Structure formats: structure tokens, C-alpha cells
Amino acid sequence: MTTFASGTSESNSAKDGLARDALTVLQPGFTGTTAPDWLLRRLGEGLASVGLFGRNIASPQQLAALTARLRAEREDVLVAIDEEGGDVTRLEVGTGSSFPGNHALGAVDDVELTRQVAVELGRRLAACGVNLNWAPSADINSDPANPVIGVRSFGADTDLVARHTAAYVSGLQSAGVAACTKHFPGHGDTAVDSHHALPRIDVPAPVLQERELVPFRAAITAGTRAIMSAHILVPALDPDRPATLSPRILTGLLRGELGYDGLIVTDGMEMRAIAGTYGIERGSVLAVAAGADAICVGGGLADDETVRRLRDALVTAVRSGELAEERLAEAAERVRALARWTASARAQGAAAHPAAGADIGLLAARRAVTVAGAEGFAPLTEPPYVAALTPVANIAVGDDTPWGVAAELVRMLPGTETGGFAGEEAGRAVLEAAGARRIVVVVRDEHRHPWMAGALDAILARRPDTVVVEMGVPQAAPRGALHIATHGAARVCGRAAAEVIAGM
């Protein structure tokens, strides 16, 4: 263990049990691909969790070395990551995921396949030293216009989402990685992204019981070790506070009614739904008081100053009587209990899954593809022009992860060219750029973007032989000479679509 010098007040604070518990409940991030000194020092002072993002990962080997360095400072540290597979990947942020996401798995609707995908994803995480995954999403995509969930959901059917959530939890945890089922009590019926503002779900309590809560009950039955709260206002459950800050929802509903006793993790506290309304310090105090055990912060705030501010806010709240010391101690103990579980589960998972299986991700992506118009379609033999109609990136997905079919078609049909387009003039621009070449148009949630639908209208009016690939939630009617729905934009989904186009 490395010893770091610090000021007297910091040293005294670090030795204080209250400050130690306050550090224990934080899940901060950091920048760079090596652990900074401040983070290592905080681990020595009581910090028990670290959150990793795409910015922290260059390769599996680098990630394994990073997590080993963290464990050299604290052997039982929880190393968390947001690795849903599909569109939301951190392990493969630079290339796109080797696994299809939830919507593709739900389209196949083979729970054993979902379990196998989760096993292999968990095995790869564990091999890199990651032991807590902020996944799966148990949200039912009730609103097709949902801007933040979409293909991250298994689907719009309650029972389908419930059975695949349970299978995913079971598979992931059998590989020794704790599942963190999200976003409680359900983020699927929202038209606002909580990264930007506070969403609101106005449905009666019986609807929530029969729809949103069903997958979370299934996850609890399957033994999920963690559940992530959503920054959403649900007036039928609590008219005043969003779920993350609501004792009625976290303690009354999740703990009391649903009987859940595992770790409750907040969604990122720097998201505007909380930071823009309460501030992260005040929000963190209210979250722990409401029943949350771990404060996720670091997606956008990743420095020692943030950690110090949050630690001090929690300590001050206890000393002022706003936050019960017993509640903070209980939260810290739940974090430590999960760390103890991961230590034993990792060894068991390694024994149960010692080596990589078949390329289960690509097999699943191929099974998820649905095709309309194949009867009269002849596979392409000449390089086409691939036009990606590109919407504004979902923050959870990020804009650094490549998507589409172009990379795979370039490999299969050398000479393929590509371009990205957006806006009202996209259709005209695609036609000009393509010239006489066959056009393949790639869209993502056409039904949510009028400009995208208009661009397709313009292209198909002039070039009815165009191939259309929908890589979001397929809601619009199939059109084009060939219409392919991949149910997600992971790299393997792009490959599965390209195989259909090129007849391979």
C-alpha cells in the first residue's frame, strides 16, 4: 500500500469513523487511464467504490492493470462500470460492442440466450477486475418517443422485460459480477432525459404496480445485488421528491413493500435532474436519508474536490441532525457487504466460467435481425454508398462509440463509401453524395425524428432501390427495397445487417 502525505485536518478527518462512512458511500470517477494519487489516497481513507467510464479504458490489458492497482490500495474495492452491451458500452467504447443490447435480446425472446450473453459479458468484466455492473436496464419502453431508454430496454411488454431482466441478473452474477438493476421505479414512460431535466411519470399507482414494478420484482427474486434509483418524479408514489430522494419510494416501496435488502445505488448525481434542482451536495444528503446506500458521481465530476465536498456535506448533515448517523452507518455497511460478496463470487465465477464460449454476441445479433422485402432482393455485389442519418447522441450512449453498417460493408465490399447527414436538407445531400451508386441508408429511431423521416421520403422518391437499416427501435413502417431492423446499434448488430446486405 502506498502512503500519501496530507494535511493535518485531512488526516484527522480520514481517521474519523463518521468521515470514513461518508467516503464509503461514494462512487466517484476520475479522468485518465491510470489511477491518480488522490484516488489512491482516498481508498486508504475509506473510499470503497470507484466508477469507470469510457475515458478510463484503452484495452482489456490496461483495464486489468488499473483495477489491480486499485486493489493494491484496497483489496475489497468495488469497481463499477456502465456496461450494458449494445449501444451503451465502456469496454469497447472505441469500436462498438461485441454484444447486442437489451432490445435485440428481447426481440429474440430466448431467455437462455439472454442468460448466456450476460454470462459472457460478466466473464469479460471479471477478467478485467470489474465486479459491479450498472446493468441491466429493467425499464419497460412504454413511451416509444422515450429519448433516453429506447433500445436499452428489452421491450414494451411487461412480462417479456421481467423474464429477460431476471435471466440477465442470473447470468451476470454467475460470472462473479454484481448486477445493478435500473432505473427504479422505471424510466420507460418518460419523454424527458434525466441527464437534462427532471422527468415526470403521471400514471396511477395500480398501473405502476402492474407494469413498471414487475421487472424489479423479478430482479429481486433473481437475487440482484444492487438496484439503481431513477431521477424521476412519480406523483402517484411521491408528489414532492424524485425517486432518488424519496423515502416513500426507496424505503417505503423498495425496502418495505418489495422486501429488497441489497444495495441501493443512485443514478449519477451530476445529472441535471438532481444537480440542476437540488445541487449534488444537498441531493446526496437527501438521497442517503431517503434510503440510498451508494452515491454515484463521476460521469461529469471526477476529481478530489468533488469527493471532499460530498464527504463533508454528509458529515455536516449528520452533525446537524439532518441525517441520522445510524442511516449513514447502515449505508456504508451495505457497501462493505457487497464488497465481501464480490470477493467470494469472483472466485466461484472464475471456476464456473473458466474460458470464453462461442461468439455468443454475434450469434445473438444475427438472431435479432428482422427483414422486410427480402423476397425480391438480390444481395449487393458492388460497393454502395452508406448514408448514416445521425441524430443527436443519447448522453448515456455517448458520441464516441461508432455505429452503423459502413465499417462492415467496407470489409465485405471494398470501395464502399460513407457519410453522415442530419437536418432538413439531409435527403438532398445524400442523393448528391451517392451519385449513381446504390444507397444504403442507416437510421436510428426514425419515428422520433421528423427530419429523418423526411430525408428518407426524399431519397426513396428518387431512389426506390435504396436499402434501409433501422438500428433503433423499429416503430415506423418498413420501407425501401430492403428494410432491416437490427434492434440496436452495437458493432455486432451492424455486422449482422451487413451480412444480409452482402449475402454473406
Side-chain angles (χ1 to χ4, degrees), residues 385-461:
Y385 186 84
V386 180
L389 302 186
T390 307
V392 174
N394 178 326
I395 290 181
V397 175
D399 55 10
D400 295 329
T401 303
W403 66 284
V405 301
E408 293 295 333
L409 282 176
V410 167
R411 183 176 61 83
M412 297 175 188
L413 298 171
T416 295
E417 294 186 22
T418 184
F421 303 86
E424 298 299 326
E425 297 298 315
R428 178 190 57 77
V430 168
L431 290 166
E432 290 180 359
R437 288 167 291 186
R438 187 74 175 268
I439 301 174
V440 176
V441 175
V442 186
V443 298
R444 209 170 183 175
D445 292 338
E446 178 199 342
H447 66 284
R448 292 201 304 112
H449 303 287
W451 70 264
M452 194 179 292
L456 266 183
D457 290 340
I459 294 166
L460 291 170

Side-chain angles (χ1 to χ4, degrees), residues 2 33 35 135 149 204-205 244 253 261 350 357 434 441 443 463 504:
T2 306
T33 54
I149 302 300
T244 293
L253 176 59
D261 194 39
V441 175
V443 298
R463 298 290 297 276
M504 294 185 179

Side-chain angles (χ1 to χ4, degrees), residues 161-445:
V161 174
R163 61 179 173 264
H164 285 278
T165 296
Y168 196 106
V169 167
S170 174
L172 186 66
Q173 294 189 164
S174 75
V177 176
C180 183
T181 306
K182 61 189 183 185
H183 307 79
F184 186 83
H187 208 314
D189 197 13
T190 60
V192 173
D193 185 342
S194 51
H195 290 90
H196 299 299
L198 179 63
R200 178 185 177 110
I201 297 181
D202 284 305
V203 298
V207 173
L208 296 168
Q209 290 285 351
E210 296 170 7
R211 190 178 66 182
E212 270 73 15
L213 298 184
V214 173
F216 290 98
R217 289 194 185 97
I220 292 168
T221 300
T224 187
R225 294 286 166 171
I227 288 178
M228 178 177 283
S229 66
H231 303 330
I232 57 175
L233 187 67
V234 189
L237 301 178
D238 188 332
D240 302 315
R241 289 188 176 177
T244 293
L245 311 183
S246 171
R248 296 185 191 181
I249 294 174
L250 297 189
T251 299
L253 176 59
L254 184 53
R255 294 280 188 222
E257 184 177 332
L258 300 188
Y260 175 67
D261 194 39
L263 189 77
I264 298 178
V265 183
T266 73
D267 207 344
M269 297 300 283
E270 71 277 9
M271 294 163 64
R272 297 305 299 168
I274 298 296
T277 307
Y278 297 87
I280 62 167
E281 294 97 334
R282 175 74 176 152
S284 296
V285 169
L286 292 175
V288 175
D293 305 304
I295 301 298
C296 177
V297 63
L301 299 168
D303 54 34
D304 191 39
E305 174 63 16
T306 299
V307 171
R308 184 195 61 77
R309 285 164 48 205
L310 295 181
R311 179 204 63 189
D312 291 351
L314 292 166
V315 169
T316 299
V318 170
R319 290 176 174 162
S320 70
E322 182 180 11
L323 173 63
E325 186 171 358
E326 296 78 8
R327 170 80 274 272
L328 180 61
E330 176 188 53
E333 177 51 33
R334 279 206 179 91
V335 174
R336 297 179 190 118
L338 181 59
R340 291 192 293 270
W341 177 86
T342 60
S344 59
R346 183 180 181 185
Q348 295 171 2
H353 309 290
D359 194 351
I360 191 69
L362 179 57
L363 295 175
R366 287 169 174 161
R367 289 182 62 184
V369 165
T370 55
V371 179
E375 300 81 4
F377 178 76
L380 275 57
T381 57
E382 297 295 325
Y385 186 84
V386 180
L389 302 186
T390 307
V392 174
N394 178 326
I395 290 181
V397 175
D399 55 10
D400 295 329
T401 303
W403 66 284
V405 301
E408 293 295 333
L409 282 176
V410 167
R411 183 176 61 83
M412 297 175 188
L413 298 171
T416 295
E417 294 186 22
T418 184
F421 303 86
E424 298 299 326
E425 297 298 315
R428 178 190 57 77
V430 168
L431 290 166
E432 290 180 359
R437 288 167 291 186
R438 187 74 175 268
I439 301 174
V440 176
V441 175
V442 186
V443 298
R444 209 170 183 175
D445 292 338

